Amino acid sequence: MKGVTMTCCEGWTSCNGFSLLVLLLLGVTLNAIPLILNFVDEDQFFENPISCFEWWFPGIIGAGVMAIPATTMSLAARKRACCNNKTGMFLSSLLNAITVIGAAYCLLVSIQALAEGPLICNSQSNTTSSCEFSLKNLTANYKESFDLQWFFEDSCVPHTDSNNPSITNTTANNWRVYNLHFNSIENQHRIIHFSVFLGLLLVGILEILFGLSQIIIGCFGCLCGGVSKRRSQIV
């Protein structure tokens, strides 16, 4: 009887599928956390959101939906139903290119979210009316110091007392993380915002790496005419 062996290329494709599946689910879960907490606290969406950026769905759309096609096809490689010819490997590379684009979107939104912090640190009114995401804004954030002061300060809420600069002069070098507890709405928003978008940042980076590796494997498979080989087995 004849069987089909799985070569290293196809094995890596299958491994990529499981990895992307885990990252996909993790990205969707992280993105949903602030949305669910906001709904639980306010009993309605768009009212006093933690930040603008969860509503751009970096984890649900970028790291989630856009990674589904490549994840599905990579998992199918385990059953040798695809990725065993040039067409399959080319399609695998193409779908992973979409994954990389989605992961890059997740990465960019997460960087901007970490740079700006939650709404409570930037605005007196927590509404989505002030939410705006653009590559221009992202470039502007890179020009500023990326020190996460909104997270490490004792308080990130803007003070009206401009005559006492020492109130807001605490820098990230103090590393006063021990002051961050869920004892106030401000700290809740800061901890949730930091944890969610740091996690999405890591998810975006890992998805980009796995996606690029699969693109390389797919191109290699196209040049080699597929990755599966058959051998005869005597039972």
Side-chain angles (χ1 to χ4, degrees):
M1 148 176 133
K2 289 185 178 181
V4 181
T5 62
M6 185 179 290
T7 64
C8 59
C9 292
E10 198 166 17
W12 179 253
T13 299
S14 179
C15 178
N16 259 1
F18 283 107
S19 300
L20 287 176
L21 178 61
V22 173
L23 292 172
L24 183 158
L25 295 175
L26 182 59
V28 172
T29 302
L30 287 171
N31 198 160
I33 288 175
L35 301 178
I36 294 174
L37 290 176
N38 177 237
F39 180 75
V40 171
D41 291 339
E42 304 295 335
D43 200 26
Q44 54 183 331
F45 289 117
F46 296 103
E47 290 294 330
N48 298 320
I50 294 178
S51 77
C52 302
F53 301 100
E54 61 261 23
W55 293 104
W56 284 94
F57 303 117
I60 295 176
I61 295 179
V65 174
M66 295 185 70
I68 290 177
T71 302
T72 303
M73 187 163 190
S74 296
L75 290 174
R78 187 173 182 82
K79 294 185 178 181
R80 300 108 174 155
C82 62
C83 298
N84 55 1
N85 52 52
K86 289 184 177 181
T87 303
M89 295 306 295
F90 173 76
L91 184 59
S92 174
S93 297
L94 182 62
L95 294 179
N96 274 277
I98 299 175
T99 298
V100 171
I101 294 174
Y105 171 74
C106 177
L107 179 67
L108 292 176
V109 176
S110 299
I111 290 176
Q112 185 171 352
L114 289 173
E116 293 191 10
L119 279 174
I120 198 171
C121 297
N122 300 287
S123 175
Q124 297 295 332
S125 58
N126 289 4
T127 63
T128 54
S129 59
S130 60
C131 294
E132 181 181 358
F133 172 76
S134 67
L135 293 178
K136 181 179 179 180
N137 292 340
L138 184 61
T139 304
N141 284 332
Y142 277 126
K143 297 178 181 178
E144 301 175 358
S145 58
F146 193 82
D147 52 14
L148 300 177
Q149 282 194 0
W150 60 266
F151 181 71
F152 292 108
E153 286 179 343
D154 289 335
S155 177
C156 69
V157 177
H159 294 276
T160 56
D161 187 4
S162 58
N163 296 323
N164 189 10
S166 62
I167 295 179
T168 58
N169 197 29
T170 307
T171 63
N173 295 329
N174 290 332
W175 285 74
R176 298 189 176 183
V177 186
Y178 56 82
N179 285 332
L180 288 176
H181 302 291
F182 279 84
N183 55 359
S184 67
I185 295 178
E186 177 193 344
N187 285 347
Q188 290 177 18
H189 284 202
R190 286 200 288 171
I191 293 173
I192 293 171
H193 183 87
F194 179 80
S195 302
V196 165
F197 287 102
L198 180 61
L200 287 175
L201 177 67
L202 297 176
V203 168
I205 292 174
L206 291 175
E207 281 197 357
I208 288 175
L209 294 177
F210 281 114
L212 289 176
S213 68
Q214 185 57 39
I215 291 174
I216 296 174
I217 291 295
C219 293
F220 177 76
C222 287
L223 295 176
C224 296
V227 297
S228 291
K229 295 180 181 180
R230 292 182 176 271
R231 69 178 181 183
S232 297
Q233 292 182 342
I234 300 176
V235 180

